[in-house]
Amino acid sequence: MALTGAIRSPAEERLAKPKVAFYWCGSCGGCEATMLDLGEGLLDLAGKVEFVLWPLLLDFTREDLEALADGEIALAMISGMLNNSHHREMAELLRRKSRFVLAFGACAQLGGVPGLWNLYGQGAVREHYSLDGSDPQQGGPSLLPQLWESVQPLDQVIEVDYYLPGCPPLPQWITIAMNALVEGNLPPKGTNFVPDKALCSVCPRRETKPKKIVLERLNRFHRAEVDPSLCLLAQGLVCFGPATRAGCGALCIRGNMPCTGCFGPTDRDKDYGTRALAAVASLASLALPGAGEGLAGPLPDPAGVFYFYSLAALALSRARKGHGR
């Protein structure tokens, strides 16, 4: 194959590539690790972009990040929820250095499972972690960051341009997002890269879902005998397919597990937990004797069920923006 155009030096090649930063705040690190699932595609991506921060794989420091000009990074992909002063400092620094910021994964988008912290606050950790930055066990100052009163999704701390949901996001959507960056074809700000349709519409069991489901009781998954071919809702299991954005490939359902909602709400729903609760409650026949008890019994922790990933994004709990900072 003939080469066309002038041969560029390595320095010119770096200047031609968009700069990309990865960073995780409070999370398990699974979102960054899923980048490795790109396989050989990761090598292809490395030839198209320049990574300037990636704590999981590359040895960059905060000083390296601070040395970059404001706006020099094309895209910062930030995963994890935020609940301390260090998270905020890094998020604000990346926001300043980046033209675009993407909330990467369920924790960054919604607060994720760690958002259930907001049900309890700091009481469970006070004896180990001081709110004023001092070391409660040593009685002196500490370099530990200051812990907040609550967990917050990324867009409650800095402006976010794009969203990529999932726990973790799937490689196919990461590839689409990165190709849009490389090709200079990014969608309008505020876009979620996963299509805006409910999981039920693409569920492999959708043909077995009755036109009308009426439940006398709900069943707890670990106590039920689950038919691997039938609609999980029709079997009395709490499945969030009607309220959850498609794009996960129905992986949990294919594994005979109900959807728990890690891909978050569609664009039509602002409060995911309420939408999920309404979807399940609409199937209940409360007029039947004992139906109310039958529905409530299997759900000893309704907040933890319906807000498993999204409690920190709940509008009512965030009425005071900045609470805890």
Side-chain angles (χ1 to χ4, degrees), residues 198-206 208-210 213 215 217-222 224 226-246 248-264 269 272-284 295 298-299 302 304-309:
L199 179 59
C200 270
S201 68
V202 298
C203 177
R205 306 188 190 194
R206 62 186 180 279
T208 68
K209 181 179 179 181
I213 301 175
L215 302 178
R217 65 175 294 107
L218 295 177
N219 296 309
R220 301 188 72 176
F221 177 79
H222 66 284
V226 183
D227 188 319
S229 63
L230 298 180
C231 170
L232 293 164
L233 280 170
Q235 297 183 63
L237 297 166
V238 177
C239 181
F240 294 159
T244 301
R245 187 180 293 262
C248 62
L251 294 176
C252 292
I253 293 170
R254 294 180 191 279
N256 209 29
M257 295 279 292
C259 169
T260 56
C262 76
F263 265 60
D269 302 309
Y272 175 73
T274 299
R275 174 69 179 89
L277 174 60
V280 174
S282 66
L283 308 178
L295 289 169
L299 296 177
V305 171
F306 292 102
Y307 287 96
F308 190 53
Y309 294 99

Side-chain angles (χ1 to χ4, degrees), residues 44-55:
D44 181 57
L45 178 61
K48 296 177 180 178
V49 303
E50 180 186 356
F51 295 110
V52 296
L53 183 71
W54 195 349

Side-chain angles (χ1 to χ4, degrees), residues 8-325:
R8 293 184 291 200
S9 68
E12 290 173 325
E13 285 287 349
R14 287 194 297 271
L15 288 173
K17 296 178 182 178
K19 291 181 171 63
V20 173
F22 281 95
Y23 190 76
W24 95 55
C25 293
S27 73
C28 66
C31 289
E32 284 203 350
T34 199
M35 288 291 296
L36 302 180
D37 292 334
L38 292 175
E40 293 182 359
L42 182 57
L43 298 177
D44 181 57
L45 178 61
K48 296 177 180 178
V49 303
E50 180 186 356
F51 295 110
V52 296
L53 183 71
W54 195 349
L56 180 68
L57 291 181
L58 303 173
D59 187 21
F60 292 109
T61 67
R62 177 169 175 165
E63 288 71 24
D64 295 323
L65 180 61
E66 291 173 336
L68 297 173
D70 289 356
E72 187 173 347
I73 298 172
L75 179 68
M77 303 175 71
I78 304 177
S79 65
M81 57 77 183
L82 293 83
N83 78 329
N84 66 51
S85 56
H86 178 69
H87 293 159
R88 180 184 183 183
E89 290 170 7
M90 290 301 298
E92 290 179 343
L93 177 59
L94 283 163
R95 176 69 272 183
R96 188 169 72 249
K97 299 296 181 180
S98 307
R99 295 195 295 278
F100 302 106
V101 169
L102 182 145
F104 189 52
C107 288
Q109 180 192 9
L110 301 169
V113 176
L116 295 174
W117 158 290
N118 292 359
L119 290 171
Y120 307 101
Q122 300 149 339
V125 296
R126 275 184 187 275
E127 61 186 69
H128 302 293
Y129 200 121
S130 172
L131 305 186
D132 61 7
S134 62
D135 186 334
Q137 295 181 349
Q138 301 298 325
S142 171
L143 296 178
L144 293 174
Q146 184 177 7
L147 198 64
W148 294 351
E149 291 285 347
S150 61
V151 165
Q152 295 181 323
L154 185 61
D155 63 8
Q156 291 178 2
V157 179
I158 62 171
E159 181 181 358
V160 169
D161 301 300
Y162 302 111
Y163 298 86
L164 193 61
C167 184
L170 296 186
Q172 70 192 75
W173 302 117
I174 297 173
T175 300
I176 288 173
M178 297 307 294
N179 283 340
L181 171 69
V182 171
E183 296 166 3
N185 190 30
L186 285 168
K189 288 187 177 183
T191 294
N192 188 315
F193 277 97
V194 174
D196 183 27
K197 56 184 178 182
L199 179 59
C200 270
S201 68
V202 298
C203 177
R205 306 188 190 194
R206 62 186 180 279
E207 300 300 329
T208 68
K209 181 179 179 181
K211 291 185 178 180
K212 182 174 179 59
I213 301 175
V214 178
L215 302 178
E216 297 183 31
R217 65 175 294 107
L218 295 177
N219 296 309
R220 301 188 72 176
F221 177 79
H222 66 284
R223 294 180 179 174
E225 293 185 11
V226 183
D227 188 319
S229 63
L230 298 180
C231 170
L232 293 164
L233 280 170
Q235 297 183 63
L237 297 166
V238 177
C239 181
F240 294 159
T244 301
R245 187 180 293 262
C248 62
L251 294 176
C252 292
I253 293 170
R254 294 180 191 279
N256 209 29
M257 295 279 292
C259 169
T260 56
C262 76
F263 265 60
T266 64
D267 290 343
R268 298 178 296 280
D269 302 309
K270 302 303 181 184
D271 187 331
Y272 175 73
T274 299
R275 174 69 179 89
L277 174 60
V280 174
S282 66
L283 308 178
S285 178
L286 296 179
L288 295 174
E293 181 180 350
L295 289 169
L299 296 177
D301 178 23
V305 171
F306 292 102
Y307 287 96
F308 190 53
Y309 294 99
S310 64
L311 183 70
L314 177 61
L316 291 177
S317 71
R318 297 268 61 86
R320 292 178 293 159
K321 186 174 181 180
H323 175 59
R325 287 191 273 157

